[in-house]
Amino acid sequence: MSSSKSNKIVKLESSDNKTFEVEEAVAVQSETLKNMVDDGCANDTIPLPNVNGKILEMVLGWCKKHVDETVTGDELNKYEADFLDLDQADLYGLLMAANFLNVKGLLDRVLQRVADMIKGKKPEEIRRIFNIKNDFTPEEEEEIRLENAWAFD
Amino acid sequence: MEADSLIQNPKKQRLNEEQGIDGNNKCFGNLPELILRHILSFLSIKTAVRTSVLSKRWQFLWTSNPYLNFGKHIPGKRTLLMNFVERVLYLRDSSDIKEFVLDFDVESDACRVKSWITAAVRRNVQTLSICLWGSRGQFSLPRCVFTCETLTSFYLDMRCILKVPPIICFSNLKVLIIENVAFSDDYTTQQLLSGLPVLETLYFENCTWGCHKVLSISAPKLHFLTIVEDDDMQNPSGCKFMIFGPSLKYFAYGGKFLNEYCLYDSLSLECLDFDVDCYDEWASDGWARQVAYRMFKVLIATPNVQDVRLYGNACEVLAYAAELLPKMPIFNNLSYLKLGSLKLQCAALWKILQNSPCLETLKFFLIEPISDREKADIILDPMPSCFLSHLKRIKVGSYDEENDLYVIKILLKNAIVLDKMVISFEENLEMQDAFYKQLMKLPRGSQNCKIVLK
């Protein structure tokens, strides 16, 4: 991979036909896009049919912030904390986008945020968040609790 | 659809899981298994296993969780814990275990506990924390622990003889903390102390060293070394530790110097912390002098130190060997001195102050009582040069108004470049007021100095 800083612009198009132009250095924070750039497929606009404009804008904002050398460690931490203060629909969209685009650090942070939603919650509450249908009979559920007694204490 | 309307809504809503809007929650229900497992890997094993009750699909999603932290021992839950640990280890998939933390009463289950530890090592564990007791000194760690190349942090607390195997390979170990262990008499102990190529933090508490007379710790990347010796459980003459620490930045020692510590190649040491308690009744049998000599040996080896903390009666201990005081090194870089108690009548303290020309901050928790007779011991001439040029901040705890004012008066009068003196005085507001008024009346060597009462 060339180590020279190229001023190349990468063009991206979201699922709802919004176009975004970003510097290559920003785009390659996404491993997926980086592979495309390295393979020479990034000369035309890259279509991203599974990421909508709003989410893509967020992801690119994240990438820009992480490339910016003037941002301090503390500023970055605050940015990341505020960034993830989202409603569930946005969080889900961000999760899918971060997974597909393979953006370093972003996927972990989003998943950590989702994990935080599970902590301290009763099973019913967790089922609601993840839309889980309980297909255990009460006896089966009781058996699992007994088998893992230490965890359910 | 509710989901769409939320996307069009420009305001970011706070995450409110209680809303239960179906349109929203359907989305998280569609996550692929790999992502769900990834999410569960951020949780403690206890929280992760609790999800096994959510549905059949979720029953075994927790099995790639790498953080097997079984927490602190809870009385009465020993059997439950044992069953749980084994269930987790049996049902786990083959992914790596990043962390294995166990606090356990071994009783007669040494064999089973050994196999749990072996399982963790075989799964490339990085952080291993084992606190075991109740084995009546019989427990031996599985050998594979000592050749675990993925291990970066190892914490061991075990009241047993530690049998170190002949072959050791801690090629990635950065943190080693050992408590309550009895090291064996043979060569393997030295082998362990020499086999720590990338170690950065080393901590020993209440360890005994068998019949060893000399041991050397040679860890080229070692930054932090702490040794704590609580009790008198040593062999009488103790062991001499030769510590080669070219990267050593911090050395802390707490105890009675039952062993000797010789630092070599440690001119980069920045912080020294001594917590030494030595009582008057020891002064007669020569023990106190030995402690003084041992403490002094460390001071001589670290003249570039920037930050020194002396707790217990470390200062007085030095004074037990008065002939050493003239040989006290000059601490040209010492800018921060923190004491458990300030004893101005102690000759060793004055020597340190006089040999610290660049001291800027002086902190102490309390002021030792000073009798009228002892007041004559305070050596004001020559005044330590740091008082005249560098001492800017003094922070003190005050508990005895009458006694303390005498000492504070001396400090205020002679620290002529003092910026700020902070005094914490834990009494009711009325007494604080009275004390403050007295403080304000004291003559100040530094006109710009602020006095703050907390």
Side-chain angles (χ1 to χ4, degrees):
Chain A
M1 161 171 153
S2 70
S3 54
S4 58
K5 264 194 180 167
S6 74
N7 289 327
K8 261 192 77 181
I9 300 290
V10 172
K11 293 191 280 257
L12 306 162
E13 186 177 338
S14 69
S15 60
D16 44 356
N17 300 108
K18 295 207 180 84
T19 48
F20 296 86
E21 289 189 7
V22 289
E23 285 178 18
E24 189 178 288
V26 172
V28 299
Q29 297 283 299
S30 148
E31 280 292 316
T32 310
L33 294 177
K34 180 172 180 299
N35 291 337
M36 286 185 184
V37 166
D38 287 348
D39 289 345
C41 308
N43 298 315
D44 297 323
T45 307
I46 302 175
L48 299 171
N50 36 10
V51 186
N52 73 36
K54 180 186 185 196
I55 299 292
L56 186 54
E57 190 171 352
M58 273 193 239
V59 174
L60 292 174
W62 173 281
C63 296
K64 275 197 193 102
K65 201 76 177 182
H66 282 75
V67 159
D68 188 349
E69 282 165 26
T70 64
V71 173
T72 68
D74 283 339
E75 281 172 15
L76 200 56
N77 284 337
K78 185 164 191 313
Y79 174 80
E80 289 185 1
D82 292 342
F83 189 87
L84 293 161
D85 192 8
L86 299 170
D87 64 33
Q88 286 193 28
D90 282 349
L91 199 63
Y92 177 75
L94 197 58
L95 194 165
M96 299 311 281
N99 186 39
F100 170 68
L101 289 171
N102 198 351
V103 177
K104 186 176 164 198
L106 179 59
L107 183 60
D108 269 4
R109 299 283 285 192
V110 175
L111 293 179
Q112 169 86 73
R113 187 77 183 84
V114 178
D116 289 343
M117 284 157 57
I118 294 179
K119 281 184 203 168
K121 295 275 190 331
K122 299 203 183 68
E124 257 321 302
E125 296 168 299
I126 305 176
R127 286 192 187 111
R128 244 183 307 137
I129 297 171
F130 288 87
N131 196 43
I132 302 169
K133 187 169 179 309
N134 183 4
D135 48 2
F136 285 128
T137 66
E139 291 81 26
E140 285 171 332
E141 207 180 302
E142 185 54 27
E143 193 177 285
I144 295 176
R145 282 172 193 272
L146 280 173
E147 283 167 8
N148 295 291
W150 187 88
F152 282 96
D153 236 347
Chain B
M1 257 233 83
E2 284 98 17
D4 285 340
S5 68
L6 273 163
I7 290 172
Q8 272 143 36
N9 184 342
K11 272 207 223 129
K12 282 182 190 171
Q13 292 177 324
R14 299 230 99 225
L15 261 168
N16 186 352
E17 296 85 4
E18 264 59 58
Q19 271 177 354
I21 303 172
D22 275 345
N24 261 345
N25 295 333
K26 265 205 172 75
C27 40
F28 277 123
N30 288 337
L31 290 176
E33 183 172 307
L34 208 56
I35 300 247
L36 290 177
R37 280 178 180 269
H38 197 163
I39 293 172
L40 290 181
S41 74
F42 286 105
L43 299 169
S44 71
I45 189 65
K46 187 170 181 175
T47 310
V49 165
R50 290 167 73 108
T51 65
S52 54
V53 87
L54 293 176
S55 79
K56 288 182 182 167
R57 184 189 183 214
W58 279 71
Q59 197 176 359
F60 297 106
L61 286 183
W62 60 266
T63 53
S64 10
N65 184 300
Y67 298 108
L68 305 191
N69 184 334
F70 299 103
K72 284 245 155 287
H73 141 82
I74 299 170
K77 301 251 163 80
R78 185 181 178 276
T79 309
L80 283 185
L81 175 58
M82 211 156 63
N83 292 342
F84 185 72
V85 171
E86 289 185 336
R87 188 162 201 278
V88 165
L89 288 174
Y90 290 151
L91 296 180
R92 247 192 130 256
D93 65 15
S94 55
S95 64
D96 282 353
I97 293 177
K98 291 211 174 93
E99 187 180 279
F100 187 82
V101 179
L102 185 68
D103 184 2
F104 195 67
D105 179 359
V106 174
E107 284 185 16
S108 48
D109 290 307
C111 209
R112 283 163 91 166
V113 176
K114 272 178 86 158
S115 67
W116 301 344
I117 299 171
T118 305
V121 169
R122 280 183 61 86
R123 290 274 169 258
N124 301 321
V125 71
Q126 294 170 20
T127 298
L128 185 62
S129 171
I130 312 277
C131 177
L132 300 173
W133 72 94
S135 62
R136 278 174 240 105
Q138 297 300 324
F139 191 84
S140 62
L141 281 175
R143 286 190 168 205
C144 56
V145 171
F146 296 90
T147 50
C148 180
E149 298 201 3
T150 50
L151 203 56
T152 56
S153 291
F154 183 25
Y155 169 73
L156 180 65
D157 181 349
M158 202 170 75
R159 268 172 222 276
C160 280
I161 297 179
L162 182 66
K163 289 193 216 103
V164 177
I167 313 240
I168 304 174
C169 183
F170 280 135
S171 48
N172 276 308
L173 192 66
K174 291 219 170 90
V175 177
L176 181 60
I177 298 177
I178 303 190
E179 292 187 37
N180 298 317
V181 153
F183 283 92
S184 67
D185 285 333
D186 63 22
Y187 70 99
T188 57
T189 298
Q190 178 60 75
Q191 198 155 30
L192 174 65
L193 296 176
S194 311
L196 306 163
V198 298
L199 195 74
E200 290 173 10
T201 301
L202 182 58
Y203 180 100
F204 288 125
E205 180 165 342
N206 275 348
C207 294
T208 61
W209 303 94
C211 300
H212 286 284
K213 291 277 178 287
V214 180
L215 285 171
S216 75
I217 300 175
S218 160
K221 299 259 164 70
L222 193 64
H223 291 315
F224 304 101
L225 175 61
T226 303
I227 299 181
V228 178
E229 291 162 351
D230 287 348
D231 297 312
D232 336 272
M233 34 14 156
Q234 303 290 330
N235 76 62
S237 47
C239 177
K240 179 170 164 171
F241 282 89
M242 314 214 318
I243 301 162
F244 298 89
S247 309
L248 198 60
K249 294 227 176 327
Y250 173 93
F251 177 48
Y253 176 81
K256 299 177 174 63
F257 272 101
L258 296 164
N259 297 308
E260 200 182 329
Y261 300 94
C262 308
L263 296 175
Y264 296 94
D265 203 7
S266 45
L267 293 174
S268 55
L269 194 84
E270 292 173 6
C271 178
L272 206 53
D273 183 320
F274 284 132
D275 187 353
V276 179
D277 275 311
C278 194
Y279 303 104
D280 281 332
E281 47 268 26
W282 295 13
S284 54
D285 60 18
W287 191 254
R289 282 175 60 80
Q290 182 176 270
V291 179
Y293 267 82
R294 289 178 172 182
M295 215 171 113
F296 200 76
K297 199 155 187 173
V298 177
L299 286 172
I300 290 241
T302 56
N304 293 335
V305 69
Q306 297 166 19
D307 175 337
V308 168
R309 296 123 194 250
L310 300 170
Y311 302 121
N313 58 354
C315 271
E316 290 169 66
V317 166
L318 281 173
Y320 281 124
E323 69 276 16
L324 291 176
L325 293 184
K327 302 196 188 121
M328 181 83 72
I330 310 268
F331 300 108
N332 279 314
N333 295 335
L334 185 57
S335 61
Y336 181 97
L337 180 62
K338 189 167 179 185
L339 306 165
S341 63
L342 183 72
K343 192 169 180 178
L344 280 190
Q345 58 276 45
C346 171
L349 175 60
W350 278 108
K351 192 66 190 172
I352 293 174
L353 287 173
Q354 276 158 0
N355 285 18
S356 308
C358 300
L359 189 69
E360 290 183 9
T361 308
L362 179 62
K363 276 194 190 178
F364 40 99
F365 291 116
L366 58 96
I367 300 177
E368 289 282 341
I370 180 165
S371 68
D372 283 331
R373 194 167 33 91
E374 285 173 317
K375 283 175 185 171
D377 289 339
I378 299 180
I379 309 158
L380 288 177
D381 185 25
M383 185 57 58
S385 68
C386 56
F387 276 57
L388 306 174
S389 59
H390 278 79
L391 190 58
K392 294 202 180 70
R393 285 170 292 273
I394 297 181
K395 187 165 177 205
V396 52
S398 175
Y399 297 91
D400 178 343
E401 206 182 298
E402 205 191 299
N403 180 70
D404 296 350
L405 269 174
Y406 182 80
V407 169
I408 294 175
K409 182 174 171 185
I410 293 179
L411 293 173
L412 274 176
K413 185 163 165 217
N414 292 294
I416 60 178
V417 294
L418 197 65
D419 276 342
K420 194 170 178 185
M421 179 184 280
V422 177
I423 306 174
S424 48
F425 187 63
E426 302 251 336
E427 293 288 353
N428 60 50
L429 280 171
E430 217 182 281
M431 293 186 73
Q432 276 197 25
D433 255 352
F435 190 50
Y436 192 71
K437 289 203 176 77
Q438 299 242 39
L439 285 172
M440 288 295 120
K441 287 195 210 140
L442 297 173
R444 288 184 221 179
S446 162
Q447 292 310 312
N448 300 328
C449 162
K450 260 171 49 176
I451 300 183
V452 174
L453 194 63
K454 277 194 172 159

